[in-house]
Amino acid sequence: DQQVKQNSPSLSVQEGRISILNCDYTNSMFDYFLWYKKYPAEGPTFLISISSIKDKNEDGRFTVFLNKSAKHLSLHIVPSQPGDSAVYFCAASANFGGAGRRALTFGSGTRLQVQP
Amino acid sequence: DARVTQTPRHKVTEMGQEVTMRCQPILGHNTVFWYRQTMMQGLELLAYFRNRAPLDDSGMPKDRFSAEMPDATLATLKIQPSEPRDSAVYFCASGLDPDNFESYTFGSGTRLTVV
């Protein structure tokens, strides 16, 4: 049972436009969320994160939005550039208090293609 | 530039053979993870170490997989015997501590093909 879901396997946008990547989760214990970017033949690299006490975090062209009631987060890239073409993974972590924090649970990824 | 080193980068083996994948975490990082990437499941957690002690290996098939940290500079993931369904890219990652997610650094992965 996938607790973190990225329902769109791929997305294609024009250079300069906005890219919106979506992620849904089922575990209400998740309290920290991250987005990773992955190029072919490389490992994922950290992009941006958000704590559950916030609903928005911005870093340059990248903004992550969190809707806790809907258990949904999204990554916005504005403006999109050809170099943004990669696979984007959503990840989440839960804190079980005395039992400690669990390792990151990842979604299946969305392949973004930015057309010049 | 600190990086996580994984060897080998590619491995092709026959079904039934033993496979060992190695990972050198970043010096000073006390948390090590093994993830597996498949087309269907994305990135799945296999095992998770803190200060060389296993914290969570619930994602790992226990009958054939084993993960160890013989010392702070080496983590190993072993499959014995290997099966075609084990074909995937295996990633190692290290971090400063379990709560410092932004410090997590992934290696480039080992692409395993079992024929």
Side-chain angles (χ1 to χ4, degrees):
Chain A
D1 179 33
Q2 280 200 303
Q3 297 184 54
V4 178
K5 298 179 185 179
Q6 294 177 257
N7 292 318
S8 298
S10 63
L11 174 69
S12 183
V13 299
Q14 288 294 122
E15 181 178 5
R17 298 290 190 100
I18 183 171
S19 295
I20 300 177
L21 296 98
N22 293 303
C23 178
D24 296 293
Y25 62 96
T26 57
N27 190 340
S28 57
M29 298 290 290
F30 288 144
D31 64 352
Y32 205 82
F33 305 88
L34 302 92
W35 285 93
Y36 284 80
K37 179 178 180 178
K38 184 185 178 304
Y39 292 118
E42 294 183 12
T45 55
F46 168 73
L47 189 58
I48 193 169
S49 61
I50 188 166
S51 163
S52 61
I53 63 173
K54 295 185 174 182
D55 55 19
K56 176 182 174 181
N57 189 26
E58 195 171 348
D59 183 2
R61 297 185 297 113
F62 302 90
T63 303
V64 56
F65 295 92
L66 175 63
N67 182 334
K68 284 186 293 183
S69 61
K71 293 191 176 67
H72 177 84
L73 65 157
S74 60
L75 174 69
H76 292 211
I77 307 174
V78 183
S80 301
Q81 299 173 354
D84 296 329
S85 298
V87 177
Y88 289 79
F89 289 97
C90 170
S93 176
N95 190 346
F96 291 99
R101 180 170 283 282
R102 289 293 306 278
L104 291 174
T105 300
F106 283 83
S108 54
T110 296
R111 182 177 301 278
L112 173 66
Q113 184 73 34
V114 180
Q115 308 286 351
Chain B
D1 191 19
R3 61 180 65 188
V4 174
T5 303
Q6 288 188 247
T7 56
R9 289 296 308 271
H10 303 272
K11 176 73 176 178
V12 180
T13 191
E14 290 186 348
M15 182 173 63
Q17 296 296 305
E18 178 179 298
V19 174
T20 299
M21 290 168 270
R22 293 177 174 81
C23 168
Q24 181 176 357
I26 291 174
L27 192 63
H29 282 192
N30 71 4
T31 309
V32 174
F33 306 86
W34 284 103
Y35 281 91
R36 173 170 66 181
Q37 183 187 12
T38 62
M39 292 297 292
M40 299 302 294
Q41 296 293 328
L43 282 164
E44 306 170 85
L45 176 70
L46 295 175
Y48 165 27
F49 291 80
R50 182 181 184 185
N51 293 326
R52 297 175 53 203
L55 285 189
D56 183 357
D57 60 1
S58 58
M60 207 164 61
K62 301 289 192 307
D63 56 338
R64 299 184 300 108
F65 284 60
S66 62
E68 295 179 345
M69 281 200 73
D71 61 61
T73 65
L74 177 64
T76 62
L77 180 66
K78 192 172 295 187
I79 309 175
Q80 168 63 23
S82 57
E83 296 181 1
R85 59 179 166 152
D86 301 330
S87 297
V89 181
Y90 291 79
F91 288 102
C92 173
S94 71
L96 283 168
D97 63 66
D99 290 344
N100 192 338
F101 301 108
E102 286 77 3
S103 73
Y104 292 3
T105 303
F106 282 79
S108 297
T110 293
R111 181 175 294 276
L112 173 65
T113 303
V114 183
V115 297

